[in-house]
Amino acid sequence: MKRNEVNYEELSPMMKQYMDIKKDYEEELLFYRIGDFYELFFEDGLTASRELELTLTGKNAGLEERVPMCGVPFHSVKPYIEKLVNKGYKVAICEQLEDPKNTKGMVKRGVIQVISKGTIADLELLNEHNNHYIATIIDYTYMYTICYADISTGDIFVSNIPHELDKLLSLVLNMGILEVILPNHDDIELIKTLKGTYGIELSFSAEKLTNQYQSIYANIEDAHYIEAIQTLLYYLVVKELKDLSHLKEATIIYEDDYLEMDVHTVRNLELIETLRLKERTFSLLWLIDKTKTSMGSRKIKQWLMHPLKNETKILDRYAKIEKLNTEFILKEQLRDNLYEIYDLERLCGKVTCGSLNGRDLLQLKKSLEVLPEIKRIIDELHFDYPLKTHQKLYELLEKAIYEDPPVTIKEGYLIKEGYNKELDELKSIRSGGKDFIASFENKLKEETGIKNLKVGYNKVFGYYIEVTKGQLQNVSEDFHWERRQTLTNAERYISPELKEKEALILNAEEKIVEMEYNMFLEIKDIVKKELLELKDTADCLATIDALTSLAVCAEEYHLVKPSINHEHIIEIKNGRHPVIEKVSNMEYVANDCIMDASINTLLITGPNMSGKSTYMRQLAIIIILAQMGSFVPASKANLPIIDKIFTRIGASDDLVSGESTFMVEMKEAKNAIVNATEDSLILFDELGRGTATYDGMSLAEAILKYVSTKIRAKTLFSTHYHELTVLEEKIPSIKNVHVSALESDGQITFLHKIKNGAVDKSYGIHVAKLAGLPEDIINDAMHILSVYEKKPLKNKSEEQIQLVMEFPDDNHDELRDKLKEIDPLRITPMEAINTLFALKKISEKERNGE
């Protein structure tokens, strides 16, 4: 049965109310509160029962047939919401807005919040290490403007991006944005890529919120930024009913302020997750995150994803790390105190858009308790952080909040004795009442002689006197007891005196719960007024925590402080890949990387598995660590400021778009070639291997020449095309290096040491042997290789050249004319492929006499 199949007029009043509310939330699963359960009906019930593996039942709704229904208890609803949201559904929470006890007729209900993948605010459902961003993207045809916010922490950012889909996707994926709001359905390619390829949740809304939260963009003048912010605010406030009073002023992210890394670079270098398992463990972030707080963990990830280009800021972080390691006792004291800090950022978020409870305020109080000591330490370290201690708020929470409050805020036991005089009097009555019950039972036993008489309580009958069947003859009419309930082996009674005391006790209990709830809301409002200052404190603590983490890493992993130069020099002595060094069972072989101002390209040759890719990655990681303000894994490092890093490492098909390994390779190469500058770093690992040998070698040589002579970026270029090593003699900015290996009695030992010069052997068959291929295959391959090696390489080259370069001697030579048009130093990889294909067709035509 579907909603549109029922007659509205025949429905019960409650189901009519449901239908009225549901029509405004067609896309969401409506959790409709009835008593102690959230219930879902019609299509929502079918969907939820399937996705949550719940029993589908039915509910009487005034119709002949019961409507489909499933439900979950309200006190354990969070795991169900989390599961649905992670599967891409949006959940609308419809609550009872009135107390049923005080209402005649239908209880008023309404949706109080909508929860989607990007707007979860409850700490229990969030990953403490990651931000949970929701974004809006506006396409201005000549550029994109993106605004993204984490409502659980109150952070909001805005940025303009060149009108390049790859750059936009890199930001979305690198920042881990979970949900994107688009103004319309016009950009089919963007929608398909975000939703289909990467599984990012999409919503559509073009409305802008102009009359609230202007303080978020009060200091911003750019109209593009303001429009993006207002669009996101409208969706969050109007569509999802969020209170955003905890959001800070929007931060503008200027692309030129940070080292630029596209999504391929972040993945290839395994900065935040491993390539194989897509897990945080064994990534660079896993290695350097020694933080004590969730806020610090998220801060150090932000630093890693946004390495600085501002030398002053970089040097400031170096100086603070050096100071922390000099004052190591203060550093350990600082870390001990930071360990006592809860997630202040997300606690602030819960104050406004989450279900704040007494335990949250207790966590806030415990966090504030250690702030004076942290402030003392950072003052002693002479760190310029204006940390506030929030002493008055701490004293309020210390005086008010009970040390072991319940999970909910409507059960009482929230407020300490001594906070409110009237509340204390009521608690005294409640406590005295319980004492009365105990004494009353003893009194009755003495007066009646019924020794097994009991005085008890239940919610249906209230307080009662229970007498077993064997003692009923001792119950006299003179007692003036009134029979209330008959059990199998006992009778229950009430007495006028008992009912009088019961009314006093129960009214006190009910009033205590009500008063404590109202006092909790008052305290919550006081906290809310201090939210922005608390968020500044949280950010300050996160920064201190991130710095102490880098200081611990510097000491634990034997890192050194880099120096920064402006002469385009890379000088790394005994550089190491910190993650491999940490997890490897073997002793790590350190390597130098020396590139003076005249050398911009290292052409790396050597066997497979010898460490070429590791050598390339470790250079990029050292630069990223240096520019995020960390010490680096080397004995010495003198580095320039790099503006962009591009990588083409590893082979992978793009199965979703149907692109081959070679096409992906060429696209990533093109991205580097088009966007790199003289201040960039490029890592090309075995470029050209995805196609035929001569095609690949031709492209590799053309790209190598172009990068070395035109772009002049610092480049590491590994290859198995040993023919390319002759370029060192032709282009002074190229230098040959190789990874050494030792061959003895048909066995190979990888030395993993970088040495000057080139090698002319790949040892591919030796690697195949190490991999365990059958002996027959290895022997046959060795035989075939020996046959090839006996053929003079020079003759083979001449034969190949003759096929391509020998032209007929006539006046009209189309092939020669076409070749004259080509400038190999200006041609792009894709143009090179197309040109080769065209030359081949012309050659075939001339050979066939056409």
Side-chain angles (χ1 to χ4, degrees), residues 456-464 484-487 492 494 499 502 506:
Y457 172 82
N458 66 34
K459 290 184 178 180
V460 178
F461 297 105
Y463 288 96
Y464 57 82
R484 271 298 173 92
Q485 188 181 17
T486 300
L487 303 178
R492 287 178 174 174
I494 60 171
K499 293 307 292 181
E502 176 190 79
L506 293 182

Side-chain angles (χ1 to χ4, degrees), residues 29 31 40 44-57 69-73 79-81 83-84 87 89:
L29 297 177
F31 277 56
L40 298 95
D44 286 1
L46 291 166
T47 300
S49 66
R50 180 184 70 249
E51 298 290 0
L52 299 175
E53 299 179 1
L54 299 172
T55 301
L56 184 69
T57 60
M69 182 206 83
C70 71
V72 297
Y80 297 107
I81 293 174
K83 191 171 183 180
L84 289 170
K87 290 189 173 191
Y89 294 98

Side-chain angles (χ1 to χ4, degrees), residues 784-826:
I784 295 168
L785 178 63
S786 67
V787 173
Y788 279 121
E789 288 178 337
K790 288 175 183 176
K791 294 182 180 180
L793 182 61
K794 184 177 179 181
N795 292 343
K796 287 192 291 182
S797 299
E798 287 175 351
E799 182 184 353
Q800 179 69 15
I801 291 170
Q802 287 171 0
L803 287 173
V804 180
M805 302 297 291
E806 187 173 79
F807 309 115
D809 187 16
D810 56 24
N811 294 328
H812 178 69
D813 187 341
E814 185 180 357
L815 193 58
R816 189 187 298 274
D817 294 339
K818 186 71 175 176
L819 281 169
K820 287 180 179 178
E821 296 174 5
I822 300 170
D823 182 353
L825 297 181
R826 293 185 177 276

Side-chain angles (χ1 to χ4, degrees), residues 174 254-262 265-266 269 271 303-310 314 620-628 640-646 679-681:
N174 286 348
Y254 295 105
E255 192 178 34
D256 291 339
D257 288 348
Y258 302 100
L259 168 60
E260 183 181 325
M261 301 179 290
D262 62 19
T265 298
V266 172
L269 297 178
L271 297 185
W303 287 3
L304 180 61
M305 298 303 292
H306 292 96
L308 300 167
K309 286 164 59 180
N310 184 302
I314 295 171
I621 285 173
I622 286 171
I623 286 171
I624 290 167
L625 286 172
Q627 290 188 215
M628 72 175 283
I641 298 290
I642 298 294
D643 65 351
K644 303 172 186 178
I645 296 179
F646 300 94
D679 295 321
S680 301
L681 174 67

Side-chain angles (χ1 to χ4, degrees), residues 293-300 341-345 538 541-542:
T293 69
S294 301
M295 303 174 292
S297 183
R298 293 191 294 272
K299 177 68 73 174
I300 207 163
I341 302 285
Y342 288 85
D343 197 337
L344 278 182
E345 284 183 330
L541 291 169

Side-chain angles (χ1 to χ4, degrees), residues 193-306:
T193 305
L194 290 174
K195 181 72 174 177
T197 305
Y198 296 108
I200 294 170
E201 293 303 315
L202 297 181
S203 298
F204 298 90
S205 174
E207 299 291 328
K208 294 186 284 293
L209 188 73
T210 58
N211 59 350
Q212 287 179 264
Y213 303 116
Q214 291 98 330
S215 60
I216 292 173
Y217 52 87
N219 296 326
I220 295 177
E221 297 180 358
D222 190 316
H224 303 100
Y225 292 149
I226 293 173
E227 183 178 8
I229 294 168
Q230 290 176 338
T231 304
L232 182 59
L233 291 179
Y234 179 88
Y235 181 81
L236 293 173
V237 174
V238 179
K239 295 271 190 176
E240 298 215 340
L241 309 174
K242 304 297 183 187
D243 180 351
L244 303 180
S245 54
H246 67 297
L247 256 63
K248 296 184 287 190
E249 288 184 6
T251 301
I252 301 174
I253 301 296
Y254 295 105
E255 192 178 34
D256 291 339
D257 288 348
Y258 302 100
L259 168 60
E260 183 181 325
M261 301 179 290
D262 62 19
V263 67
H264 308 296
T265 298
V266 172
R267 288 178 175 174
N268 288 334
L269 297 178
E270 298 184 304
L271 297 185
I272 57 176
E273 65 179 17
T274 57
L275 278 168
R276 179 174 295 179
L277 299 177
K278 307 294 183 188
E279 292 180 350
R280 190 176 191 268
T281 304
F282 303 136
S283 68
L284 181 61
L285 178 60
W286 164 80
L287 186 80
I288 65 173
D289 188 355
K290 304 287 185 181
T291 56
K292 293 294 187 178
T293 69
S294 301
M295 303 174 292
S297 183
R298 293 191 294 272
K299 177 68 73 174
I300 207 163
K301 182 180 179 182
Q302 290 172 11
W303 287 3
L304 180 61
M305 298 303 292
H306 292 96

